[in-house]
Amino acid sequence: MGFFDDAQNFIKSKQNDATPLDADNILVLDTPEQEERLFDTLRKLYENATRLEIERAVYTAKEQMQPPYDKAAFMKKIRIKLED
């Protein structure tokens, strides 16, 4: 297979992976209250992380993704930053 064939297969696989978001899998961070709820959840999951570390991880994930945020992908990006 040539480069062009590999590229076509890659694009087809990405299009198949692009499934619409479920209402349960959307993370909305429009208000400070929603961000605070997310912080509380992350604080429970990552007890050793400081508030600043969590805020940086959330900020980085928000910068790398476009709203509406896919909750699973968002949490995966945060997990990479916060796990010890």
Side-chain angles (χ1 to χ4, degrees):
M1 252 197 267
F3 175 76
F4 183 70
D5 295 331
D6 289 340
Q8 277 184 324
N9 290 337
F10 177 77
I11 290 172
K12 286 179 185 177
S13 70
K14 287 298 177 182
Q15 287 174 343
N16 291 340
D17 290 346
T19 57
L21 297 174
D22 296 334
D24 296 337
N25 200 24
I26 295 177
L27 183 60
V28 180
L29 298 174
D30 294 336
T31 64
E33 292 83 21
Q34 292 168 333
E35 289 185 7
E36 193 62 32
R37 262 188 266 132
L38 175 64
F39 174 78
D40 291 340
T41 302
L42 294 173
R43 189 71 177 142
K44 291 174 186 172
L45 289 173
Y46 305 103
E47 296 171 350
N48 293 335
T50 64
R51 181 172 187 97
L52 183 59
E53 291 172 330
I54 293 172
E55 288 174 351
R56 284 183 184 164
V58 170
Y59 177 76
T60 302
K62 285 173 71 173
E63 289 293 315
Q64 293 176 353
M65 299 177 70
Q66 296 293 323
Y69 304 111
D70 178 14
K71 191 173 187 176
F74 195 88
M75 296 302 277
K76 185 176 181 180
K77 287 186 181 291
I78 289 175
R79 186 185 81 223
I80 292 169
K81 298 281 185 188
L82 295 180
E83 281 188 343
D84 292 332

Coordinates of all heavy atoms in Angstrom, one line a residue:
M1 N 0.8 -1.2 0.0 CA 0.0 0.0 0.0 C 0.9 1.2 0.0 O 1.9 1.3 0.7 CB -0.9 0.0 1.2 CG -2.3 -0.2 1.0 SD -3.4 0.2 2.3 CE -3.5 -1.2 3.2
G2 N 0.4 2.2 -0.7 CA 1.2 3.5 -0.8 C 0.7 4.5 0.3 O -0.2 4.2 1.0
F3 N 1.3 5.6 0.3 CA 1.0 6.6 1.2 C -0.4 7.1 1.1 O -1.1 7.3 2.0 CB 2.0 7.8 1.1 CG 1.6 9.0 1.9 CD1 1.9 9.0 3.3 CD2 1.0 10.1 1.4 CE1 1.6 10.0 4.1 CE2 0.7 11.2 2.2 CZ 1.0 11.1 3.5
F4 N -0.9 7.2 -0.2 CA -2.2 7.7 -0.4 C -3.3 6.7 0.1 O -4.3 7.1 0.7 CB -2.4 7.9 -1.9 CG -3.8 8.5 -2.3 CD1 -4.1 9.8 -2.0 CD2 -4.7 7.7 -2.9 CE1 -5.4 10.3 -2.3 CE2 -6.0 8.2 -3.2 CZ -6.3 9.5 -2.9
D5 N -3.0 5.4 -0.1 CA -4.0 4.4 0.4 C -4.0 4.4 2.0 O -5.1 4.3 2.6 CB -3.6 3.0 0.0 CG -3.7 2.9 -1.6 OD1 -4.6 3.6 -2.1 OD2 -2.9 2.1 -2.1
D6 N -2.8 4.6 2.6 CA -2.8 4.7 4.0 C -3.6 5.9 4.5 O -4.3 5.8 5.5 CB -1.3 4.8 4.5 CG -0.6 3.5 4.4 OD1 -1.2 2.4 4.2 OD2 0.7 3.5 4.4
A7 N -3.4 7.0 3.9 CA -4.1 8.2 4.2 C -5.6 8.1 4.1 O -6.4 8.5 5.0 CB -3.6 9.4 3.4
Q8 N -6.1 7.4 3.0 CA -7.5 7.2 2.9 C -8.0 6.3 4.0 O -9.1 6.6 4.5 CB -7.8 6.6 1.5 CG -7.8 7.6 0.4 CD -8.2 6.9 -0.9 OE1 -7.8 5.7 -1.2 NE2 -9.0 7.6 -1.7
N9 N -7.3 5.3 4.3 CA -7.8 4.4 5.4 C -7.8 5.1 6.7 O -8.8 4.9 7.5 CB -6.9 3.1 5.4 CG -7.0 2.2 4.3 OD1 -8.1 2.2 3.6 ND2 -6.0 1.4 4.0
F10 N -6.9 5.9 7.0 CA -6.8 6.7 8.2 C -8.0 7.6 8.3 O -8.7 7.7 9.3 CB -5.5 7.5 8.3 CG -5.5 8.4 9.5 CD1 -5.2 7.8 10.7 CD2 -5.7 9.7 9.4 CE1 -5.1 8.6 11.9 CE2 -5.6 10.5 10.5 CZ -5.3 10.0 11.8
I11 N -8.3 8.3 7.2 CA -9.5 9.2 7.2 C -10.8 8.5 7.4 O -11.6 8.9 8.1 CB -9.5 10.1 5.9 CG1 -8.3 11.1 5.9 CG2 -10.8 10.8 5.7 CD1 -8.1 11.8 4.6
K12 N -10.9 7.4 6.7 CA -12.1 6.6 6.9 C -12.3 6.1 8.3 O -13.4 6.1 8.8 CB -12.1 5.4 5.9 CG -12.4 5.8 4.5 CD -12.3 4.5 3.6 CE -12.5 4.9 2.1 NZ -12.3 3.8 1.2
S13 N -11.2 5.7 8.9 CA -11.3 5.2 10.3 C -11.7 6.4 11.2 O -12.5 6.2 12.2 CB -10.0 4.5 10.8 OG -9.0 5.5 10.9
K14 N -11.2 7.5 11.0 CA -11.5 8.7 11.8 C -12.9 9.1 11.7 O -13.6 9.5 12.6 CB -10.6 9.9 11.6 CG -9.2 9.7 12.1 CD -9.2 9.6 13.6 CE -7.8 9.3 14.2 NZ -7.9 9.1 15.6
Q15 N -13.4 9.0 10.4 CA -14.8 9.4 10.2 C -15.8 8.4 10.9 O -16.8 8.8 11.4 CB -15.1 9.4 8.7 CG -14.5 10.6 8.0 CD -14.7 10.6 6.5 OE1 -15.0 9.5 5.9 NE2 -14.4 11.7 5.9
N16 N -15.4 7.1 10.9 CA -16.2 6.1 11.6 C -16.1 6.3 13.1 O -17.1 6.1 13.8 CB -15.7 4.7 11.3 CG -16.0 4.3 9.9 OD1 -16.8 4.9 9.2 ND2 -15.3 3.4 9.3
D17 N -15.0 6.8 13.6 CA -14.9 7.1 15.1 C -15.6 8.3 15.5 O -16.0 8.5 16.7 CB -13.4 7.3 15.5 CG -12.6 6.0 15.3 OD1 -13.3 4.9 15.2 OD2 -11.4 6.0 15.3
A18 N -15.9 9.2 14.6 CA -16.6 10.5 14.9 C -18.1 10.3 15.1 O -18.9 10.6 14.3 CB -16.3 11.5 13.9
T19 N -18.4 9.7 16.3 CA -19.8 9.5 16.6 C -20.4 10.7 17.3 O -19.7 11.4 18.0 CB -20.0 8.2 17.5 OG1 -19.2 8.5 18.7 CG2 -19.5 7.0 16.8
P20 N -21.7 11.0 17.1 CA -22.3 12.1 17.8 C -22.2 11.9 19.3 O -22.3 10.8 19.8 CB -23.7 12.1 17.3 CG -23.9 10.9 16.6 CD -22.6 10.3 16.3
L21 N -22.1 13.0 20.1 CA -22.0 12.9 21.5 C -23.4 12.6 22.1 O -24.4 13.2 21.7 CB -21.5 14.3 22.1 CG -20.1 14.7 21.7 CD1 -19.8 16.1 22.2 CD2 -19.1 13.7 22.2
D22 N -23.4 11.7 23.1 CA -24.6 11.5 23.9 C -24.8 12.6 24.9 O -23.8 13.3 25.3 CB -24.5 10.2 24.7 CG -24.4 9.0 23.8 OD1 -24.9 9.0 22.6 OD2 -23.8 8.0 24.2
A23 N -26.0 12.9 25.3 CA -26.3 13.9 26.3 C -25.5 13.6 27.6 O -25.1 14.5 28.3 CB -27.8 14.0 26.5
D24 N -25.4 12.3 27.9 CA -24.7 12.0 29.2 C -23.1 12.2 29.0 O -22.4 12.2 30.0 CB -24.9 10.5 29.5 CG -26.4 10.3 29.9 OD1 -27.1 11.3 30.2 OD2 -26.9 9.2 29.8
N25 N -22.7 12.2 27.8 CA -21.2 12.3 27.6 C -20.7 13.7 27.2 O -19.7 13.9 26.7 CB -20.8 11.3 26.5 CG -19.3 11.0 26.6 OD1 -18.7 11.1 27.6 ND2 -18.8 10.5 25.5
I26 N -21.6 14.7 27.5 CA -21.2 16.1 27.2 C -20.8 16.8 28.5 O -21.6 16.7 29.4 CB -22.3 16.8 26.4 CG1 -22.6 16.2 25.1 CG2 -22.0 18.3 26.3 CD1 -23.7 16.8 24.3
L27 N -19.7 17.5 28.4 CA -19.3 18.2 29.6 C -19.4 19.7 29.3 O -18.9 20.2 28.4 CB -17.8 17.9 29.9 CG -17.2 18.5 31.1 CD1 -18.0 18.1 32.4 CD2 -15.8 18.2 31.3
V28 N -20.3 20.4 30.1 CA -20.5 21.8 29.9 C -19.8 22.6 31.0 O -20.0 22.3 32.1 CB -22.0 22.1 29.9 CG1 -22.3 23.6 29.7 CG2 -22.8 21.3 28.8
L29 N -19.0 23.6 30.6 CA -18.3 24.4 31.5 C -18.5 25.9 31.2 O -17.6 26.6 31.1 CB -16.8 24.0 31.5 CG -16.4 22.6 31.9 CD1 -14.9 22.4 31.6 CD2 -16.8 22.3 33.3
D30 N -19.7 26.3 31.2 CA -20.1 27.6 30.8 C -20.1 28.6 32.0 O -19.8 29.8 31.9 CB -21.4 27.7 30.1 CG -21.4 27.0 28.8 OD1 -20.3 26.9 28.2 OD2 -22.5 26.6 28.3
T31 N -20.4 28.1 33.2 CA -20.6 28.9 34.3 C -19.5 28.5 35.4 O -19.0 27.4 35.4 CB -22.0 28.8 35.0 OG1 -22.1 27.5 35.4 CG2 -23.1 29.1 33.9
P32 N -19.2 29.4 36.3 CA -18.3 29.1 37.4 C -18.8 27.9 38.3 O -18.0 27.2 38.8 CB -18.2 30.4 38.2 CG -18.6 31.5 37.3 CD -19.6 30.8 36.3
E33 N -20.1 27.8 38.4 CA -20.7 26.7 39.2 C -20.4 25.4 38.6 O -20.1 24.4 39.3 CB -22.2 26.9 39.4 CG -22.6 28.1 40.2 CD -22.7 29.4 39.5 OE1 -22.7 29.4 38.2 OE2 -22.5 30.5 40.1
Q34 N -20.5 25.3 37.3 CA -20.2 24.1 36.6 C -18.7 23.7 36.7 O -18.4 22.5 36.9 CB -20.6 24.2 35.1 CG -22.1 24.3 34.9 CD -22.5 24.7 33.5 OE1 -21.7 25.3 32.8 NE2 -23.7 24.3 33.1
E35 N -17.9 24.7 36.6 CA -16.5 24.5 36.8 C -16.1 24.0 38.2 O -15.3 23.2 38.4 CB -15.7 25.7 36.4 CG -15.7 25.9 34.9 CD -14.8 27.1 34.5 OE1 -14.0 27.6 35.4 OE2 -14.8 27.5 33.3
E36 N -16.8 24.6 39.2 CA -16.6 24.2 40.6 C -17.1 22.8 40.9 O -16.4 22.1 41.6 CB -17.4 25.2 41.5 CG -17.0 25.1 43.0 CD -15.5 25.4 43.2 OE1 -14.9 26.3 42.5 OE2 -14.9 24.8 44.2
R37 N -18.2 22.4 40.2 CA -18.6 21.0 40.4 C -17.6 20.0 39.8 O -17.3 19.0 40.3 CB -20.0 20.8 39.7 CG -21.1 20.8 40.6 CD -22.4 20.4 40.0 NE -23.0 21.7 39.6 CZ -23.6 21.9 38.4 NH1 -23.6 21.0 37.5 NH2 -24.1 23.1 38.1
L38 N -17.0 20.4 38.6 CA -16.0 19.6 38.0 C -14.8 19.5 38.9 O -14.2 18.5 39.1 CB -15.6 20.2 36.6 CG -14.4 19.4 36.0 CD1 -14.8 18.0 35.6 CD2 -14.0 20.2 34.7
F39 N -14.4 20.7 39.5 CA -13.3 20.7 40.4 C -13.5 19.8 41.6 O -12.6 19.0 42.0 CB -13.0 22.1 41.0 CG -12.0 22.2 42.0 CD1 -10.6 22.1 41.7 CD2 -12.3 22.3 43.4 CE1 -9.6 22.1 42.7 CE2 -11.4 22.3 44.3 CZ -10.0 22.2 44.0
D40 N -14.7 19.8 42.2 CA -15.0 18.9 43.3 C -14.9 17.5 42.9 O -14.4 16.7 43.7 CB -16.4 19.2 43.9 CG -16.5 20.6 44.5 OD1 -15.5 21.1 44.9 OD2 -17.7 21.1 44.6
T41 N -15.4 17.1 41.7 CA -15.3 15.8 41.3 C -13.8 15.4 41.1 O -13.4 14.3 41.5 CB -16.0 15.6 39.9 OG1 -17.4 16.0 40.1 CG2 -15.9 14.2 39.4
L42 N -13.0 16.2 40.5 CA -11.6 15.9 40.3 C -10.9 15.9 41.6 O -9.9 15.1 41.7 CB -11.0 17.0 39.3 CG -11.5 17.0 37.9 CD1 -10.9 18.1 37.1 CD2 -11.2 15.7 37.2
R43 N -11.2 16.7 42.5 CA -10.6 16.7 43.9 C -10.8 15.3 44.5 O -9.9 14.8 45.2 CB -11.1 17.8 44.7 CG -10.4 18.0 46.0 CD -9.1 18.6 45.7 NE -8.4 18.9 47.0 CZ -7.2 18.7 47.2 NH1 -6.4 18.3 46.3 NH2 -6.7 18.9 48.4
K44 N -12.0 14.7 44.4 CA -12.3 13.4 44.9 C -11.5 12.3 44.2 O -11.0 11.4 44.8 CB -13.8 13.1 44.9 CG -14.6 14.0 45.8 CD -16.1 13.8 45.6 CE -16.8 14.8 46.5 NZ -18.3 14.7 46.2
L45 N -11.4 12.4 42.9 CA -10.6 11.4 42.1 C -9.1 11.5 42.3 O -8.5 10.5 42.4 CB -10.9 11.6 40.6 CG -12.3 11.2 40.2 CD1 -12.5 11.6 38.7 CD2 -12.5 9.7 40.3
Y46 N -8.6 12.7 42.4 CA -7.2 12.9 42.6 C -6.9 13.7 43.9 O -6.7 14.9 43.9 CB -6.6 13.7 41.3 CG -7.0 13.1 40.0 CD1 -8.0 13.6 39.2 CD2 -6.3 11.9 39.6 CE1 -8.4 12.9 38.1 CE2 -6.7 11.3 38.4 CZ -7.7 11.8 37.7 OH -8.0 11.2 36.5
E47 N -6.9 12.9 44.9 CA -6.8 13.5 46.3 C -5.4 14.2 46.5 O -5.3 15.1 47.3 CB -6.9 12.4 47.3 CG -8.3 11.8 47.3 CD -8.4 10.6 48.2 OE1 -7.4 10.1 48.7 OE2 -9.6 10.1 48.4
N48 N -4.4 13.8 45.8 CA -3.0 14.3 46.0 C -2.8 15.6 45.2 O -1.8 16.2 45.4 CB -2.0 13.3 45.7 CG -2.0 12.2 46.7 OD1 -2.4 12.3 47.8 ND2 -1.5 11.0 46.3
A49 N -3.7 15.9 44.3 CA -3.5 17.1 43.4 C -3.9 18.3 44.1 O -4.9 18.4 44.9 CB -4.3 16.9 42.1
T50 N -3.2 19.4 43.9 CA -3.5 20.7 44.5 C -4.6 21.4 43.6 O -4.8 21.0 42.5 CB -2.3 21.6 44.6 OG1 -1.8 21.9 43.3 CG2 -1.2 20.9 45.5
R51 N -5.2 22.4 44.1 CA -6.1 23.2 43.3 C -5.5 23.7 42.1 O -6.1 23.7 41.0 CB -6.8 24.3 44.2 CG -7.8 25.0 43.4 CD -8.6 26.0 44.3 NE -9.7 26.6 43.5 CZ -10.9 26.1 43.5 NH1 -11.3 25.1 44.2 NH2 -11.9 26.7 42.8
L52 N -4.3 24.2 42.2 CA -3.6 24.8 41.1 C -3.3 23.8 40.0 O -3.5 24.1 38.8 CB -2.3 25.5 41.6 CG -1.5 26.2 40.5 CD1 -2.3 27.3 39.9 CD2 -0.2 26.7 41.1
E53 N -2.9 22.6 40.4 CA -2.7 21.5 39.4 C -3.9 21.2 38.7 O -3.9 21.0 37.5 CB -2.1 20.3 40.1 CG -0.7 20.5 40.6 CD -0.2 19.3 41.5 OE1 -1.0 18.7 42.1 OE2 1.0 19.0 41.5
I54 N -5.0 21.1 39.4 CA -6.3 20.7 38.8 C -6.7 21.9 37.8 O -7.2 21.6 36.7 CB -7.4 20.5 39.9 CG1 -7.0 19.2 40.6 CG2 -8.8 20.4 39.2 CD1 -7.9 18.9 41.8
E55 N -6.6 23.1 38.3 CA -7.0 24.2 37.4 C -6.1 24.3 36.1 O -6.6 24.5 35.1 CB -6.8 25.6 38.2 CG -7.9 25.7 39.2 CD -7.7 27.0 40.1 OE1 -6.6 27.6 40.0 OE2 -8.6 27.3 40.9
R56 N -4.8 24.0 36.3 CA -4.0 24.0 35.1 C -4.4 22.9 34.1 O -4.4 23.0 32.9 CB -2.5 23.8 35.5 CG -1.9 25.0 36.1 CD -0.4 24.7 36.4 NE 0.2 25.9 37.0 CZ 1.3 25.8 37.7 NH1 2.0 24.7 37.8 NH2 1.8 26.9 38.2
A57 N -4.7 21.7 34.7 CA -5.1 20.6 33.8 C -6.4 20.9 33.1 O -6.5 20.6 31.9 CB -5.3 19.3 34.7
V58 N -7.4 21.5 33.8 CA -8.6 21.8 33.2 C -8.4 22.9 32.1 O -9.0 22.8 31.0 CB -9.7 22.3 34.2 CG1 -10.9 22.9 33.6 CG2 -10.1 21.2 35.2
Y59 N -7.6 23.9 32.4 CA -7.3 24.9 31.4 C -6.7 24.4 30.2 O -7.0 24.7 29.1 CB -6.4 26.0 32.1 CG -6.0 27.1 31.1 CD1 -6.9 28.1 30.8 CD2 -4.8 27.1 30.5 CE1 -6.6 29.1 29.9 CE2 -4.4 28.1 29.6 CZ -5.3 29.1 29.3 OH -5.0 30.1 28.4
T60 N -5.7 23.5 30.4 CA -5.0 22.9 29.2 C -6.0 22.1 28.4 O -6.0 22.1 27.1 CB -3.9 22.0 29.7 OG1 -3.0 22.8 30.5 CG2 -3.1 21.3 28.6
A61 N -6.8 21.3 29.0 CA -7.8 20.5 28.3 C -8.8 21.4 27.5 O -9.2 21.1 26.4 CB -8.5 19.5 29.2
K62 N -9.2 22.5 28.2 CA -10.2 23.4 27.5 C -9.5 24.0 26.3 O -10.2 24.3 25.3 CB -10.6 24.4 28.5 CG -11.7 23.9 29.5 CD -12.0 24.9 30.5 CE -12.8 26.1 30.0 NZ -13.2 27.0 31.1
E63 N -8.2 24.3 26.4 CA -7.5 24.9 25.3 C -7.3 24.0 24.1 O -7.3 24.4 22.9 CB -6.1 25.4 25.7 CG -6.2 26.7 26.6 CD -6.7 27.9 25.9 OE1 -6.3 28.2 24.8 OE2 -7.6 28.6 26.5
Q64 N -7.2 22.7 24.4 CA -6.9 21.7 23.4 C -8.2 21.2 22.7 O -8.1 20.6 21.6 CB -6.1 20.5 24.0 CG -4.7 20.8 24.4 CD -4.0 19.7 25.1 OE1 -4.6 18.6 25.3 NE2 -2.8 19.9 25.4
M65 N -9.3 21.4 23.3 CA -10.6 20.8 22.8 C -11.5 22.0 22.5 O -11.4 23.1 22.9 CB -11.2 19.9 23.8 CG -10.3 18.7 24.1 SD -11.0 17.6 25.4 CE -12.4 16.9 24.5
Q66 N -12.5 21.6 21.7 CA -13.6 22.6 21.3 C -14.9 22.2 22.0 O -15.2 21.0 22.1 CB -13.8 22.6 19.8 CG -12.6 23.0 19.0 CD -12.3 24.5 19.2 OE1 -13.2 25.3 19.3 NE2 -11.0 24.8 19.2
P67 N -15.6 23.2 22.5 CA -16.9 22.9 23.1 C -17.9 22.5 22.0 O -17.8 22.9 20.9 CB -17.4 24.2 23.8 CG -16.3 25.2 23.4 CD -15.3 24.6 22.6
P68 N -18.8 21.6 22.3 CA -19.1 20.9 23.6 C -18.0 19.9 23.8 O -17.6 19.2 22.9 CB -20.5 20.3 23.4 CG -20.6 20.1 21.9 CD -19.8 21.2 21.3
Y69 N -17.6 19.8 25.0 CA -16.5 18.9 25.4 C -17.0 17.4 25.5 O -18.0 17.2 26.2 CB -15.9 19.3 26.7 CG -15.4 20.7 26.7 CD1 -16.0 21.7 27.4 CD2 -14.3 21.1 25.9 CE1 -15.5 23.0 27.4 CE2 -13.8 22.4 25.8 CZ -14.4 23.3 26.6 OH -14.0 24.6 26.6
D70 N -16.3 16.5 24.9 CA -16.6 15.1 25.1 C -16.0 14.7 26.5 O -14.8 14.8 26.7 CB -15.9 14.3 24.0 CG -16.1 12.8 24.1 OD1 -17.0 12.4 24.9 OD2 -15.4 12.0 23.5
K71 N -16.9 14.3 27.3 CA -16.5 14.1 28.7 C -15.4 13.0 28.9 O -14.5 13.2 29.6 CB -17.8 13.6 29.5 CG -17.5 13.6 31.0 CD -18.8 13.3 31.8 CE -18.7 13.5 33.2 NZ -20.0 13.3 33.9
A72 N -15.5 11.9 28.1 CA -14.5 10.9 28.2 C -13.1 11.4 27.8 O -12.1 11.2 28.4 CB -15.0 9.7 27.4
A73 N -13.1 12.1 26.7 CA -11.8 12.6 26.1 C -11.3 13.7 27.0 O -10.1 13.7 27.3 CB -12.0 13.1 24.7
F74 N -12.1 14.5 27.6 CA -11.7 15.6 28.5 C -11.1 15.0 29.8 O -10.0 15.4 30.2 CB -13.0 16.5 28.8 CG -12.6 17.8 29.5 CD1 -12.4 18.9 28.7 CD2 -12.6 17.9 30.8 CE1 -12.1 20.1 29.2 CE2 -12.3 19.1 31.4 CZ -12.0 20.2 30.6
M75 N -11.8 14.0 30.3 CA -11.3 13.4 31.5 C -10.0 12.6 31.3 O -9.1 12.6 32.2 CB -12.3 12.5 32.1 CG -13.6 13.2 32.6 SD -13.3 14.5 33.8 CE -13.2 13.5 35.3
K76 N -9.8 12.1 30.1 CA -8.6 11.4 29.8 C -7.4 12.4 29.7 O -6.3 12.1 30.2 CB -8.7 10.7 28.4 CG -7.6 9.8 28.0 CD -7.8 9.1 26.7 CE -6.6 8.2 26.4 NZ -6.9 7.5 25.1
K77 N -7.6 13.5 29.1 CA -6.6 14.5 29.1 C -6.2 15.0 30.5 O -5.0 15.2 30.8 CB -7.0 15.7 28.2 CG -7.0 15.4 26.7 CD -7.3 16.7 26.0 CE -7.4 16.4 24.5 NZ -6.1 16.1 23.9
I78 N -7.2 15.2 31.3 CA -7.0 15.6 32.7 C -6.2 14.5 33.5 O -5.3 14.8 34.2 CB -8.3 16.0 33.4 CG1 -8.8 17.3 32.8 CG2 -8.1 16.1 34.9 CD1 -10.1 17.8 33.3
R79 N -6.6 13.3 33.3 CA -6.0 12.1 34.0 C -4.5 12.1 33.7 O -3.7 11.9 34.6 CB -6.6 10.8 33.6 CG -6.1 9.7 34.4 CD -6.7 8.3 33.9 NE -5.8 8.0 32.8 CZ -6.3 7.4 31.6 NH1 -7.6 7.2 31.5 NH2 -5.5 7.1 30.6
I80 N -4.1 12.3 32.4 CA -2.7 12.3 32.0 C -1.9 13.4 32.9 O -0.8 13.1 33.3 CB -2.6 12.6 30.5 CG1 -3.1 11.4 29.8 CG2 -1.1 12.8 30.2 CD1 -3.3 11.6 28.3
K81 N -2.5 14.5 33.1 CA -1.8 15.6 33.8 C -1.8 15.4 35.3 O -0.9 15.8 36.0 CB -2.5 16.9 33.6 CG -2.5 17.4 32.1 CD -1.2 17.9 31.8 CE -1.2 18.5 30.4 NZ 0.1 18.9 29.9
L82 N -2.8 14.7 35.9 CA -3.0 14.7 37.3 C -2.5 13.4 38.0 O -2.4 13.3 39.2 CB -4.4 15.0 37.7 CG -4.9 16.3 37.4 CD1 -6.4 16.5 37.8 CD2 -4.1 17.4 38.1
E83 N -2.4 12.3 37.3 CA -2.0 11.0 37.9 C -0.6 11.1 38.4 O 0.3 11.6 37.7 CB -2.2 9.8 37.0 CG -3.6 9.4 36.9 CD -3.8 8.1 36.1 OE1 -2.9 7.7 35.4 OE2 -4.8 7.5 36.3
D84 N -0.3 10.5 39.5 CA 1.0 10.5 40.1 C 1.9 9.5 39.5 O 1.5 8.4 39.2 CB 0.9 10.3 41.6 CG 0.3 11.5 42.3 OD1 0.4 12.6 41.8 OD2 -0.2 11.3 43.4

